[in-house]
Amino acid sequence: MSKRGSMLAAALLIALGGAVTACDGSKPLIPHKDEEERPGPFPAADRPVADVVSSRWSNEDARDRLREADQVMDRAKIRPGMTVADIGAGEGYYTVRLAQRVGKTGRVLAEDIVAAWRDQLAERVSRERLDNVSVRLGEPADPKLPPNSFDRVMMVHMYHEIEQPYEFLWRLFPALKRDGLVVVVDANRRTKAHGTPPALLKCEFEAVGFTQVSIENMPSAGGYLATFRATGPRPEPGAIRPCRMQGD
């Protein structure tokens, strides 16, 4: 190699060495699109959040004797051909019954944030050959549901366990179809006691742009059933005002 070539090679090595030293992994050279567009921050919930303690809150046979799932699905007006998301699906009590109700022309997306429960449910879906069911892992503050896709989003005895309810509901908002509903089943007690007072539930949903459509007592399901529609406009995260409920 000529002297001039050796000098050029040395300069190139120095330049590359400087580039490698500068790229230490602490910051991407080109920001990802989702990092640039990630909304927030969202307000924190001004009330206790219940621990996630179990994927099962009662025996399935006992629940069926009370016709829990049938009554909830009837009140939620779930019909064949619908697309339904079962959030916090756990071991799949509602998932398997929703699959039967929506039939072959319908779809059920079952989701949980605990990988072990997701895996157990996936095995059950495979074992019972529920071809109209998909199982996936969600995130605590983001159900990651595709937009304009669901006739019903079911949240049964799990709302009080959501650590960031405003961010969760904000991200859930676009997933509903035009006439879609979020269906919440919960107990009328404080959140730290694994329930959600109806007034608090209504306030938190409305803070993100939902409108309550109905609420009724549901003793067979251990509390009440409330439905919400995304009427909007969905506020900017910084404009969301957290609900404050006395005595919680």
Side-chain angles (χ1 to χ4, degrees), residues 66-77:
L66 295 172
R67 298 191 62 249
E68 176 192 335
D70 284 338
Q71 290 189 20
V72 167
M73 291 188 295
D74 288 346
R75 302 290 176 85
K77 298 180 180 178

Side-chain angles (χ1 to χ4, degrees), residues 47 49-55 57 63 85-90 94 111-113 117 139-143 153-165 168-169 172 182-187 191 194-196 201 204-205 221 224:
R47 42 87 169 172
V49 177
D51 295 330
V52 180
V53 294
S54 175
S55 63
W57 70 275
R63 296 170 81 172
D86 183 13
I87 306 298
Y94 271 89
E111 181 177 290
D112 208 288
I113 63 170
W117 297 346
E139 293 184 359
D142 187 358
V153 174
M154 307 293 294
M155 301 169 64
V156 180
H157 289 287
M158 57 76 65
Y159 182 80
H160 49 266
E161 298 174 352
I162 300 174
E163 294 183 9
Q164 300 290 336
F168 186 93
L169 294 175
L172 171 63
V182 179
V183 180
V184 178
V185 176
D186 214 335
T191 53
H194 288 269
T196 309
L201 182 77
E204 291 185 346
F205 267 81
Y224 62 84

Side-chain angles (χ1 to χ4, degrees), residues 65-127:
R65 283 195 293 272
L66 295 172
R67 298 191 62 249
E68 176 192 335
D70 284 338
Q71 290 189 20
V72 167
M73 291 188 295
D74 288 346
R75 302 290 176 85
K77 298 180 180 178
I78 294 174
R79 302 181 298 273
M82 280 187 166
T83 301
V84 181
D86 183 13
I87 306 298
E91 294 181 347
Y93 173 75
Y94 271 89
T95 299
V96 298
R97 289 155 182 81
L98 286 166
Q100 295 166 0
R101 178 67 67 97
V102 302
K104 293 181 178 180
T105 60
R107 295 291 301 172
V108 176
L109 174 63
E111 181 177 290
D112 208 288
I113 63 170
V114 180
W117 297 346
R118 184 274 315 269
D119 294 343
Q120 291 174 13
L121 180 53
E123 291 177 4
R124 180 176 185 179
V125 167
S126 176
R127 183 172 64 250

